[in-house]
Amino acid sequence: MKNPFELRYDLLALTHDHLDKQYKSNLAYAETMIKEAVAAGYSMSDALAKYMPKFPTIEDVVKEAKKFYNFVDTSK
């Protein structure tokens, strides 16, 4: 059986993996949209500002992990 620290670590790792996959998916979409925007005559900087996803920060990971934890918390 895992101790509470291992469970928290696993939850953070799961959350980080989830946000990383989400970022990569959004990045692939952004690359397509940026190419299309530039081909349509928009400037590269405008296209980047509009479509480039934000890489998840530590704060984002912790916030999302709390959401995951609230979902599985049965003490409430």
Side-chain angles (χ1 to χ4, degrees):
M1 186 170 187
K2 294 185 177 190
N3 68 44
F5 296 107
E6 291 171 322
L7 292 173
R8 285 187 194 107
Y9 176 81
D10 288 348
L11 183 59
L12 284 173
L14 174 74
T15 304
H16 180 268
D17 185 53
H18 169 72
L19 290 177
D20 188 53
K21 286 178 183 177
Q22 188 177 34
Y23 172 78
K24 287 177 182 176
S25 175
N26 290 343
L27 186 60
Y29 171 75
E31 289 172 353
T32 301
M33 294 305 295
I34 290 167
K35 286 178 187 174
E36 289 182 17
V38 169
Y42 292 95
S43 72
M44 177 65 85
S45 61
D46 288 343
L48 285 171
K50 183 172 182 176
Y51 296 110
M52 196 64 177
K54 182 179 94 90
F55 191 78
T57 64
I58 297 295
E59 292 80 15
D60 295 333
V61 173
V62 171
K63 181 179 176 182
E64 194 71 17
K66 287 179 181 180
K67 288 181 192 176
F68 285 179
Y69 176 77
N70 286 334
F71 176 74
V72 297
D73 184 16
T74 59
S75 67
K76 294 180 181 180

